Amino acid sequence: MASKQFDPASGTRDFLAGELRRRERVFAAARGVFERYGFEPLQTPAFERLETLTGKYGDEGDKLIFKILRRGEHEASGEADLALRYDLTVPLARVVAAYGSRLPSPYKRYAIGPVWRADRPGKGRFREFTQCDVDVVGSRSPLVEAEVVCAGADALDAMGVTAYTILINSRQALNGLMEVYDVPAELAPAALITLDKLDKLAPAQVVAELVEGRGLAQATASSLVEDLTAEDAVARMRKVLADHEAGRVGLAEVDRLLELAGPHIGQERIRFAPSLVRGLDYYTGAIWEVTAPGMPGSIASGGRYDHLIETLGGPDLPACGFSLGVERILGILMDGDEGAAVIDVAVTVMEEEHSTEATRLVGGLRRAGLTAEVYLGGSRKFAKQLKWAADRGARFAILSGPSERTDGVVTVRDMSSGEQERITVSDVFTHLMNRCAM
Amino acid sequence: MASKQFDPASGTRDFLAGELRRRERVFAAARGVFERYGFEPLQTPAFERLETLTGKYGDEGDKLIFKILRRGEHEASGEADLALRYDLTVPLARVVAAYGSRLPSPYKRYAIGPVWRADRPGKGRFREFTQCDVDVVGSRSPLVEAEVVCAGADALDAMGVTAYTILINSRQALNGLMEVYDVPAELAPAALITLDKLDKLAPAQVVAELVEGRGLAQATASSLVEDLTAEDAVARMRKVLADHEAGRVGLAEVDRLLELAGPHIGQERIRFAPSLVRGLDYYTGAIWEVTAPGMPGSIASGGRYDHLIETLGGPDLPACGFSLGVERILGILMDGDEGAAVIDVAVTVMEEEHSTEATRLVGGLRRAGLTAEVYLGGSRKFAKQLKWAADRGARFAILSGPSERTDGVVTVRDMSSGEQERITVSDVFTHLMNRCAM
């Protein structure tokens, strides 16, 4: 029966019950945490006007936007006027611009929803995937970073991610670092992108790339990499940065965040990581990334981005956010699959004339709050209906034939033990509510 | 600040917290009912391959499909290869075809999610809107109709729709009706579409349209409309249909459904409606529509469609479904808006140095399961922070200044009464848990 033609479109997925329930449980865990923090949910449309999205993600990003063809007489033009959202941040900027003072200030919002990117599909890379973001727009208080980091960490805990480390750095600290090591200002941005690879490449490779690819002096590249990879890298960095204006400001940002969020998160799970860069150049203050054992790269990341909302077309408001890589996180948690649903009671229908009674029974069970199903197939064979009850994961089955009806009872079968008991029809709801509550 | 340029795209909506929570609560109510019935959730992608959708909705429907432009080097072709889903039924047919025997049989699924149609936006008509469907694929048992109708009715109850009527008819009964009144077979489909207007137009108007527009004989049209609009229309129809083969089969379908579902739903809320037609010609058996006082048209509808899955590209399996018009239903329920969120505790920050303590306090409150927020603004004025706490709908505010810190206490303010109490820091979590539980 299965054939390529019935597969979902390339890079997209159908979620059947087991997988969907697992995903929803993980999202609900995050949602519960964000609500407890007073973040408000926001849901924006799947598509935006094309001009809202283009030019916001760089040339490479723009190519990955799914564009929607104009309709009616304009369809033949081959032009697009709408596009599927690429992330949850541009819609946030638009909402902040559109609703202004009708939003609380600061505006603490969370959003969990699909985004679409025309990336080449691959293992763990999809064209439709879910993002999960918390952001605070409109406050420069360092408490904001702490709120956002603690909310993200609590969400990871609630989702069931047991081991992770939050690495903290600051844009200012990185600027200071470049100045301390005499990296010319024009070479600094590219040099930082190379330094960010210290978690993947050998130190010598990074030095080589800094010299050959980025144009740094050999001595500069060597001492920079040596200091950043030393056993006591953090101490060395604290020392050199403290001597420098931008470095001091950056260190203070990092320390304030460690001081505010550390006690809540656990000091062993959050630390200063002087070589953490984060590729995106819109960050302006503290930045962070969450790593988990056995996962290359990060499972979540964020930082302060005080001018991005304006760049994206919104008002000039400071902002800070944390994005949890829920698709990757679901990958880590993969072992806990839900499997088939478990229902409380399966009601068999051994004779056509018994349908009305079966409907009444199953309706009563549902009213009593139980998950109950009635046999909808065509077979009147006992064995077949029992197999159906077992396949549905039923804890109990109700059987009723002529002898039961004569006596005004039904037979209740415990599907795990096979034990059967005859119960008066008027008692069966209470009987099963009690047994299912155990 | 607000300007057209920041509005969501035409026909789409941003859902801010209050409205979104209200929608989610209504959807969750339906979901809870469907789960209790043993329906399984299904989530398919937002877009499908274009050929999966085209040709499935008639010429008018095809024009309303949002098509996605090909990407990369193919973008310039102006061609589309993907399209946003138009409903939840075609994706269901594809899933049934794709997963075959890996799905339970019969496959009872529900889906609640957005669909997209390039309709002209208007009052209550959107280009992105949510559909809510329950369907059973793979069984011809009349218990299926009862399951689906009862699940839909229970969902309406759970959503809070207090008054509604389920009108039942059957395709076979309609076929019988046409034969009984000697409507030529080739005129019957169009005549039925006109008869469906009896709930909107005067009987004379319907007669005129049947004669002038549909080509029926004057005598035929008059007696048909007279019988269908008579005080005792149901009795007349039962009598004439009982004399006729297709009519008898149709009546039996209706009566079986009334017998199986009536006791559960309440006999006064479900009845035979001999002039109910339902526009869509894919229905093959029982059909139904739900009306609510004060709402023109229907708020939900469904029926048996035994060949649609095959027509849509799936295997030839019998099916039956119920679609709840959740956007219209949300309209009926509109009065119960959630308004602003209510949080349990607002923690003020009167001095910058007090931030660490405030973070510790708010973290402890959240660990205790309370919804708590810490002041993230820049003002250190008492009145301003108190206004913030009131705006957030906080039940309690925590205040702490030098005198409190000296005494190792915090001040807890009841935001509705204004009463303040000094509580030892170590007792504040238990104290507020108890007060918030009241």
Side-chain angles (χ1 to χ4, degrees):
Chain A
M1 174 100 58
S3 120
K4 267 262 176 224
Q5 99 182 84
F6 299 124
D7 285 350
S10 172
T12 69
R13 295 164 286 176
D14 294 318
F15 297 113
L16 303 184
E19 175 74 359
L20 182 54
R21 288 203 179 97
R22 199 171 71 84
R23 291 173 67 87
E24 290 298 334
R25 200 188 50 221
V26 167
F27 300 155
R31 212 174 279 130
V33 169
F34 301 150
E35 291 277 343
R36 212 152 64 226
Y37 271 73
F39 285 92
E40 299 193 350
L42 171 67
Q43 189 179 294
T44 61
F47 55 71
E48 297 280 348
R49 270 186 295 273
L50 182 59
E51 64 264 29
T52 305
L53 301 190
T54 42
K56 306 293 161 56
Y57 304 106
D59 288 349
E60 285 309 303
D62 272 4
K63 284 185 198 150
L64 304 184
I65 294 173
F66 280 107
K67 297 174 185 164
I68 296 172
L69 206 53
R70 298 183 70 186
R71 293 146 305 281
E73 52 184 301
H74 305 292
E75 184 176 322
S77 71
E79 287 169 11
D81 60 342
L82 301 169
L84 292 179
R85 68 179 177 214
Y86 180 90
D87 68 6
L88 302 174
T89 309
V90 166
L92 170 64
R94 183 183 56 70
V95 162
V96 169
Y99 300 90
S101 59
R102 278 175 289 166
L103 298 174
S105 174
Y107 181 43
K108 293 169 64 176
R109 87 91 179 76
Y110 72 91
I112 303 177
V115 300
W116 295 270
R117 296 183 186 177
D119 238 324
R120 182 193 279 284
K123 190 178 173 331
R125 194 167 55 238
F126 305 103
R127 292 181 152 190
E128 173 179 78
F129 61 97
T130 296
Q131 285 198 336
C132 170
D133 286 11
V134 265
D135 294 86
V136 178
V137 178
S139 169
R140 283 178 217 285
S141 166
L143 275 167
V144 169
E145 278 85 342
E147 275 286 274
V148 164
V149 167
C150 289
D154 281 1
L156 291 173
D157 288 341
M159 289 173 174
V161 182
T162 47
Y164 60 86
T165 305
I166 305 178
L167 306 174
I168 309 273
N169 202 359
S170 141
R171 276 281 146 171
Q172 299 278 22
L174 289 168
N175 293 344
L177 184 74
M178 293 294 94
E179 290 177 30
V180 168
Y181 286 84
D182 292 323
V183 177
E186 68 278 14
L187 303 182
L192 287 174
I193 290 171
T194 297
L195 279 183
D196 199 27
K197 299 182 185 169
L198 275 173
D199 59 343
K200 290 184 281 286
L201 300 181
Q205 287 175 292
V206 173
V207 170
E209 188 176 312
L210 284 172
V211 174
E212 289 149 32
R214 309 304 194 180
L216 266 61
Q218 178 73 44
T220 300
S222 298
S223 69
L224 189 51
V225 169
E226 191 197 320
D227 287 348
L228 281 171
T229 54
E231 192 85 355
D232 60 342
V234 170
R236 287 191 195 191
M237 287 301 121
R238 286 190 171 281
K239 188 155 181 299
V240 299
L241 291 173
D243 283 342
H244 203 277
E245 175 56 25
R248 266 197 303 275
V249 172
L251 268 185
E253 283 174 348
V254 168
D255 285 335
R256 194 80 176 106
L257 180 48
L258 290 173
E259 178 196 340
L260 290 172
H264 182 83
I265 290 170
Q267 303 289 1
E268 74 291 354
R269 300 205 291 180
I270 182 166
R271 63 179 166 81
F272 176 35
S275 64
L276 172 74
V277 174
R278 303 282 314 126
L280 302 162
D281 58 8
Y282 55 65
Y283 289 114
T284 55
I287 53 177
W288 55 86
E289 206 169 85
V290 184
T291 60
M295 291 292 285
S298 64
I299 59 167
S301 61
R304 177 168 282 280
Y305 54 94
D306 278 349
H307 305 298
L308 183 64
I309 297 282
E310 188 184 20
T311 312
L312 298 180
D316 184 17
L317 287 174
C320 179
F322 202 164
S323 187
L324 309 187
V326 285
E327 300 285 356
R328 302 204 80 194
I329 290 165
L330 282 159
I332 302 180
L333 302 172
M334 190 58 89
D335 44 343
D337 198 6
E338 301 270 281
V342 173
I343 66 164
D344 295 315
V345 188
V347 178
T348 62
V349 187
M350 295 314 297
E351 302 135 275
E352 187 61 33
E353 318 85 76
H354 176 53
S355 293
T356 313
E357 191 197 336
T359 305
R360 200 186 56 77
L361 270 168
V362 78
L365 292 164
R366 288 162 180 163
R367 282 226 180 77
L370 301 177
T371 303
E373 288 199 81
V374 60
Y375 180 72
L376 298 175
S379 169
R380 296 292 164 239
K381 289 189 182 139
F382 180 69
K384 182 113 190 218
Q385 294 204 27
L386 216 55
K387 180 176 182 313
W388 162 76
D391 287 348
R392 296 301 292 156
R395 298 173 64 189
F396 299 97
I398 291 185
L399 318 166
S400 174
S403 115
E404 276 92 349
R405 269 203 295 294
T406 307
D407 298 350
V409 299
V410 293
T411 295
V412 172
R413 183 186 177 97
D414 182 322
M415 291 296 292
S416 54
S417 69
E419 274 169 38
Q420 299 193 165
E421 206 176 337
R422 285 162 76 100
I423 307 286
T424 312
V425 170
S426 56
D427 292 342
V428 72
F429 301 120
T430 319
H431 176 84
L432 281 167
M433 271 173 73
N434 291 337
R435 291 186 71 180
C436 287
M438 289 191 298
Chain B
M1 173 100 58
S3 121
K4 267 265 176 219
Q5 98 183 84
F6 298 124
D7 284 351
S10 173
T12 69
R13 294 164 287 175
D14 294 318
F15 297 112
L16 303 185
E19 175 74 0
L20 182 54
R21 287 202 179 98
R22 198 171 70 84
R23 291 173 66 87
E24 290 297 334
R25 198 189 52 221
V26 167
F27 301 154
R31 212 174 279 131
V33 169
F34 301 150
E35 290 278 341
R36 212 151 65 227
Y37 272 74
F39 284 91
E40 300 193 348
L42 171 67
Q43 189 179 295
T44 61
F47 56 72
E48 297 279 347
R49 270 186 295 273
L50 182 58
E51 64 263 30
T52 304
L53 301 190
T54 44
K56 305 292 161 56
Y57 304 106
D59 288 348
E60 286 309 302
D62 272 4
K63 285 183 198 153
L64 303 184
I65 294 174
F66 280 107
K67 298 175 185 165
I68 297 172
L69 206 54
R70 298 183 69 186
R71 293 145 306 280
E73 53 184 300
H74 305 291
E75 184 176 321
S77 71
E79 288 168 11
D81 61 343
L82 301 168
L84 292 179
R85 68 178 178 215
Y86 179 91
D87 68 6
L88 302 173
T89 309
V90 165
L92 170 64
R94 182 182 57 69
V95 162
V96 169
Y99 300 90
S101 58
R102 279 175 288 166
L103 299 174
S105 174
Y107 181 44
K108 292 169 64 177
R109 88 92 179 74
Y110 71 91
I112 303 176
V115 301
W116 295 269
R117 294 182 187 178
D119 239 325
R120 182 191 280 282
K123 191 179 172 329
R125 193 166 57 236
F126 304 104
R127 292 181 151 190
E128 173 179 78
F129 61 97
T130 296
Q131 285 197 334
C132 171
D133 287 9
V134 264
D135 295 85
V136 178
V137 178
S139 169
R140 283 178 217 283
S141 166
L143 276 168
V144 169
E145 278 84 343
E147 276 285 276
V148 164
V149 168
C150 289
D154 282 0
L156 291 174
D157 288 341
M159 288 174 175
V161 182
T162 46
Y164 60 85
T165 305
I166 306 179
L167 306 174
I168 309 274
N169 202 359
S170 140
R171 275 282 145 171
Q172 298 279 23
L174 289 168
N175 293 344
L177 185 73
M178 293 294 93
E179 290 178 31
V180 168
Y181 286 84
D182 291 323
V183 177
E186 68 278 14
L187 302 183
L192 287 174
I193 290 172
T194 296
L195 279 182
D196 199 27
K197 299 181 185 170
L198 275 173
D199 59 343
K200 289 185 282 286
L201 300 181
Q205 288 175 292
V206 173
V207 171
E209 187 175 313
L210 284 173
V211 175
E212 289 149 31
R214 309 304 195 182
L216 266 62
Q218 178 72 44
T220 301
S222 296
S223 69
L224 188 52
V225 169
E226 191 198 319
D227 287 349
L228 279 172
T229 54
E231 192 86 354
D232 60 344
V234 170
R236 288 191 194 191
M237 287 301 120
R238 286 191 171 280
K239 188 156 180 297
V240 299
L241 291 173
D243 283 342
H244 203 277
E245 174 57 25
R248 265 197 303 276
V249 172
L251 268 185
E253 283 174 350
V254 169
D255 285 335
R256 194 81 175 105
L257 181 48
L258 289 173
E259 178 197 343
L260 290 172
H264 182 83
I265 290 171
Q267 303 289 3
E268 74 291 356
R269 299 204 292 178
I270 182 167
R271 63 179 166 82
F272 176 34
S275 65
L276 172 74
V277 174
R278 303 280 316 127
L280 302 161
D281 60 6
Y282 55 65
Y283 289 113
T284 56
I287 53 177
W288 55 86
E289 207 168 87
V290 184
T291 60
M295 290 293 285
S298 64
I299 59 166
S301 62
R304 177 169 282 279
Y305 54 95
D306 278 349
H307 305 298
L308 182 65
I309 297 281
E310 187 185 21
T311 310
L312 298 180
D316 184 16
L317 287 173
C320 179
F322 203 164
S323 186
L324 309 188
V326 285
E327 299 286 356
R328 301 203 80 192
I329 291 165
L330 282 159
I332 302 181
L333 303 173
M334 189 59 88
D335 45 341
D337 197 7
E338 301 269 282
V342 173
I343 66 165
D344 295 315
V345 189
V347 178
T348 63
V349 187
M350 296 313 299
E351 302 135 275
E352 187 62 33
E353 319 83 78
H354 176 52
S355 294
T356 314
E357 190 196 335
T359 306
R360 199 186 57 75
L361 270 168
V362 78
L365 292 165
R366 288 162 178 162
R367 282 223 179 78
L370 301 178
T371 302
E373 288 199 82
V374 59
Y375 180 72
L376 298 176
S379 170
R380 294 294 163 239
K381 289 189 180 136
F382 179 69
K384 182 113 191 216
Q385 295 205 26
L386 216 53
K387 180 176 183 313
W388 161 76
D391 287 347
R392 297 301 292 155
R395 298 172 63 189
F396 299 97
I398 290 185
L399 317 166
S400 175
S403 116
E404 277 91 351
R405 271 204 293 295
T406 307
D407 297 350
V409 299
V410 293
T411 295
V412 171
R413 182 187 178 97
D414 181 323
M415 291 297 291
S416 54
S417 70
E419 273 169 39
Q420 299 194 164
E421 207 177 335
R422 286 161 75 99
I423 308 286
T424 312
V425 170
S426 55
D427 292 342
V428 73
F429 302 121
T430 319
H431 175 84
L432 282 167
M433 272 172 74
N434 290 338
R435 291 187 71 181
C436 288
M438 288 192 297

